[in-house]
């Protein structure tokens, strides 16, 4: 296992990070098995674990907390805040009011006194970024978190946050966590260069393209609907024209993997860690078998010929599908920001 420094924090993390999204009701509800998977990952040299408060409505954090009970000092622990998972007003977002409450709940579920990396799960344009950076800086001063970052922030929001931190003397986002894979390369245009320029660590998620690069999703073959496909069946329906490009790309990428004697998921994992801006790639196994397959990829290095072939299939900076289905910028969702009032047209 290789290790890299996390965004100028001085904290060393493994290039492969164990994602805990599939631990709990959404993925694997067997707590004991999930704990065994976490322990196996740690035994293989992974020292970085990422979860979020909304994964299985807090159950993922609870499982991770149980697993790390006697191994907390050996692990860099990351979690996130933003999305609602209980009913009621003011129980989501990036406000001081919610973050102050949410971090205490996460600490309790995780069974720890501190969080190494606390991340803002998505932008919140109803909250001034200054408000968010202020409370996060206070949490660092209070010793509840060691550093903070953002997740799936576009380049313009990252730059705005950086300048607010600089102007107001707050701590700054040390990391960003965007989706990135051989089939979703849009962040190569501006997000990754911006993070690199600002010295931010990058933890990428969805390296298997929501399961399309798992090797189990193939053209003209039966689809396993017990895993990712059950969460969002429309993404996999071969009858939908929008999915045709995904299936075509998979078949070509399988040929690349076969040509170098590896598997498609191993190729996918190795591809992500090749980019110089990427610190660690998050993989979220649901079973021990899936973990073992991902660990194997940690030692794989891709040569330029292989990377050139991947570039031919999915050109740099392009997306075969929209990688982040959980959030859209307000500039697109708010009609008033895209259309002048009738009286002004």
């Amino acid at each position: 296992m290789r290790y890299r420094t996390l965004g100028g924090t001085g904290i060393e993390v493994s290039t492969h990070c164990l994602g805990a999204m599939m631990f709990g009701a959404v993925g694997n509800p067997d707590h004991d098995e999930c704990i065994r998977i976490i322990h196996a990952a740690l035994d293989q040299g992974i020292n970085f674990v990422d979860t979020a408060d909304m994964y299985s409505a807090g159950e993922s954090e609870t499982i991770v907390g149980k697993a790390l009970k006697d191994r907390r000092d050996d692990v860099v622990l990351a979690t996130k805040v933003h999305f609602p998972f209980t009913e009621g007003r003011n129980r989501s977002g990036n406000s001081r009011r919610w973050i102050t409450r949410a971090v205490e709940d996460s600490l309790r579920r995780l069974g720890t006194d501190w969080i190494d990396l606390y991340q803002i799960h998505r932008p919140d344009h109803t909250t001034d970024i200054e408000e968010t950076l202020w409370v996060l800086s206070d949490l660092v001063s209070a010793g509840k978190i060691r550093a903070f970052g953002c997740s799936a922030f576009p380049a313009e929001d990252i730059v705005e946050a950086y300048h607010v931190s600089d102007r107001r003397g707050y701590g700054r986002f040390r990391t960003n966590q965007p989706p990135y894979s051989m089939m979703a390369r849009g962040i190569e245009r501006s997000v990754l260069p911006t993070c690199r320029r600002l010295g931010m660590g990058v933890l990428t998620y969805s390296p298997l393209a929501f399961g399309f690069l798992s090797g189990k999703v193939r053209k003209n073959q039966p689809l396993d609907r017990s895993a990712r496909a059950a969460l969002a069946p429309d993404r996999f329906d071969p009858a939908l024209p929008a999915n045709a490009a995904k299936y075509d790309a998979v078949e070509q990428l399988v040929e690349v993997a076969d040509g170098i004697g590896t598997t498609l998921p191993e190729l996918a994992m190795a591809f992500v860690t090749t980019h110089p801006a990427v610190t660690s790639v998050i993989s979220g196994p649901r079973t021990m078998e899936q973990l073992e397959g991902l660990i194997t990829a940690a030692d794989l290095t891709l040569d330029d010929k292989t990377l050139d072939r991947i570039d031919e299939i999915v050109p740099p900076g392009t997306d075969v599908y929209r990688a982040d289905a959980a959030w859209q910028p307000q500039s697109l969702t708010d009609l008033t920001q895209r259309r002048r009032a009738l009286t002004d047209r």
Side-chain angles (χ1 to χ4, degrees):
M1 186 64 63
R2 292 167 290 174
Y3 300 86
R4 295 170 180 167
T5 302
L6 183 64
T9 64
I11 301 172
E12 289 191 356
V13 297
S14 48
T15 54
H16 286 247
C17 174
L18 181 67
M21 188 181 78
M22 300 306 290
F23 297 154
V26 170
N28 188 339
D30 186 332
H31 286 211
D32 290 338
E33 183 180 3
C34 291
I35 290 170
R36 286 193 292 271
I37 293 171
I38 295 171
H39 287 171
L42 300 183
D43 292 340
Q44 290 290 331
I46 289 178
N47 76 334
F48 198 10
V49 178
D50 176 81
T51 184
D53 58 1
M54 57 85 66
Y55 293 164
S56 293
E59 188 180 4
S60 172
E61 286 188 329
T62 299
I63 293 171
V64 170
K66 291 178 182 178
L68 301 185
K69 183 177 180 181
D70 298 319
R71 306 182 70 165
R72 179 67 185 91
D73 288 339
D74 300 324
V75 175
V76 178
L77 179 58
T79 192
K80 298 181 281 292
V81 60
H82 170 81
F83 287 110
F85 59 91
T86 58
E87 295 182 359
R89 296 183 182 277
N90 298 312
R91 294 184 181 179
S92 64
N94 303 341
S95 68
R96 171 178 283 271
R97 187 182 194 276
W98 176 240
I99 290 174
T100 302
R101 164 69 183 276
V103 73
E104 297 294 343
D105 290 343
S106 287
L107 288 167
R108 173 178 49 79
R109 286 189 293 264
L110 290 165
T112 184
D113 294 327
W114 82 97
I115 295 164
D116 294 292
L117 178 64
Y118 197 49
Q119 301 158 99
I120 302 301
H121 213 154
R122 290 295 188 279
D124 173 11
H125 295 299
T126 68
T127 303
D128 194 316
I129 187 63
E130 181 173 332
E131 178 85 0
T132 303
L133 295 168
W134 181 17
V135 65
L136 292 172
S137 298
D138 284 349
L139 291 176
V140 172
S141 297
K144 296 182 185 295
I145 65 176
R146 299 293 187 255
F148 54 88
C150 56
S151 176
F153 271 44
E156 60 269 24
D157 284 7
I158 293 172
V159 171
E160 180 187 4
Y162 179 86
H163 285 298
V164 170
S165 295
D166 185 56
R167 186 172 66 249
R168 299 291 292 169
Y170 297 141
R172 62 185 180 89
F173 287 137
R174 291 292 186 176
T175 62
N176 186 31
Q177 185 181 136
Y180 185 40
S181 73
M182 293 190 293
M183 291 171 59
R185 304 183 60 176
I187 64 169
E188 293 174 345
R189 287 184 175 273
S190 57
V191 171
L192 290 181
T194 297
C195 290
R196 196 177 184 194
R197 190 177 308 120
L198 297 179
M200 297 174 67
V202 176
L203 338 170
T204 64
Y205 71 89
S206 198
L208 301 186
F210 207 77
F212 263 91
L213 299 177
S214 66
K216 297 180 179 180
V217 179
R218 299 291 301 276
K219 202 170 186 179
N220 301 322
Q221 293 187 12
L223 182 63
D224 179 6
R225 297 188 179 277
S226 64
R228 292 280 188 172
L231 299 178
D234 287 349
R235 295 189 185 187
F236 296 88
D237 187 350
L240 296 178
N243 291 330
K246 301 179 190 178
Y247 282 98
D248 289 342
V250 167
E251 295 307 309
Q252 295 178 72
L253 291 169
V254 166
E255 292 180 4
V256 176
D258 290 344
I260 62 172
T262 191
T263 66
L264 182 59
E266 288 172 2
L267 178 72
M269 298 292 288
F271 168 81
V272 173
T273 59
T274 298
H275 197 289
V278 174
T279 309
S280 187
V281 53
I282 300 170
S283 55
R286 183 171 49 89
T287 65
M288 189 69 75
E289 180 184 8
Q290 291 175 352
L291 172 67
E292 292 169 354
L294 296 171
I295 290 294
T296 304
D299 296 325
L300 179 63
T301 300
L302 304 182
D303 60 22
D304 287 339
K305 182 179 180 181
T306 302
L307 293 171
D308 288 344
R309 179 66 184 120
I310 294 171
D311 286 351
E312 292 172 0
I313 298 168
V314 183
T318 64
D319 291 326
V320 179
Y321 69 100
R322 187 164 69 87
D324 184 7
W327 180 83
Q328 284 258 50
Q330 190 181 33
S331 58
L332 298 181
T333 58
D334 184 353
L335 286 178
T336 64
Q337 296 197 28
R338 294 190 287 110
R339 301 177 184 175
R340 291 181 182 273
L342 283 173
T343 54
D344 296 331
R345 292 179 187 173

